[in-house]
Amino acid sequence: QVQLVESGGGLVQAGGSLRLSCAASGRTFSSYGMGWFRQAPGKEREFVAHISGGRTYYADFVKGRFTISRDNAKDMVYLQMNSLKPEDTAVYYCADSRFGGGLVSTTSTYQYWGQGTQVTVSS
């Protein structure tokens, strides 16, 4: 089993920055890749970013603003979010994928999920 705990969310003004962290514990050595998703009220959970094998992937709406990184020694994954917009307001989730080959942007590719951290961007 893998446990994921997100932190770093909060309230920020438009144009500001936040850094989300995801602490992983359990069988982390078997992880293939890690992702960040978000879900706004009344909307589907959507892909934000993914990192695996040193490669990173981003949703178009965050390219150039968000950066995903991973510290394997600490079993941590980060999401640096800059130039935040009110439409970035959502609960952000960290996710762990055990296997390769699936689409990194689909929720079914991930087997483990954190509880989420709220990000609110005011205008």
Side-chain angles (χ1 to χ4, degrees), residues 102-121:
L103 291 175
V104 299
S105 58
T106 58
T107 57
S108 60
T109 295
Y110 301 85
Q111 289 72 48
Y112 299 100
W113 293 83
Q115 294 299 306
T117 185
Q118 176 71 47
V119 171
T120 303
V121 184

Side-chain angles (χ1 to χ4, degrees), residues 38 47-49 58-67 88 92:
R38 70 186 188 186
F47 170 73
V48 175
Y58 296 95
D60 287 343
F61 54 79
V62 302
K63 284 182 180 177
R65 299 190 299 126
F66 292 9
T67 303
D88 292 319
Y92 284 70

Side-chain angles (χ1 to χ4, degrees), residues 2-80:
V2 174
Q3 294 78 43
L4 304 173
V5 179
E6 302 95 336
S7 61
L11 174 63
V12 64
Q13 289 188 332
S17 299
L18 282 174
R19 187 195 194 202
L20 304 184
S21 299
C22 174
S25 60
R27 298 181 62 185
T28 57
F29 61 89
S30 298
S31 175
Y32 171 77
M34 301 293 292
W36 285 96
F37 285 72
R38 70 186 188 186
Q39 188 167 18
K43 294 187 177 181
E44 296 289 320
R45 191 168 297 190
E46 63 180 356
F47 170 73
V48 175
H50 174 93
I51 186 167
S52 57
R55 295 183 179 181
T56 57
Y57 307 83
Y58 296 95
D60 287 343
F61 54 79
V62 302
K63 284 182 180 177
R65 299 190 299 126
F66 292 9
T67 303
I68 188 172
S69 61
R70 184 174 186 175
D71 186 335
N72 290 330
K74 296 182 179 179
D75 288 331
M76 296 289 293
V77 178
Y78 305 98
L79 185 68
Q80 178 66 43

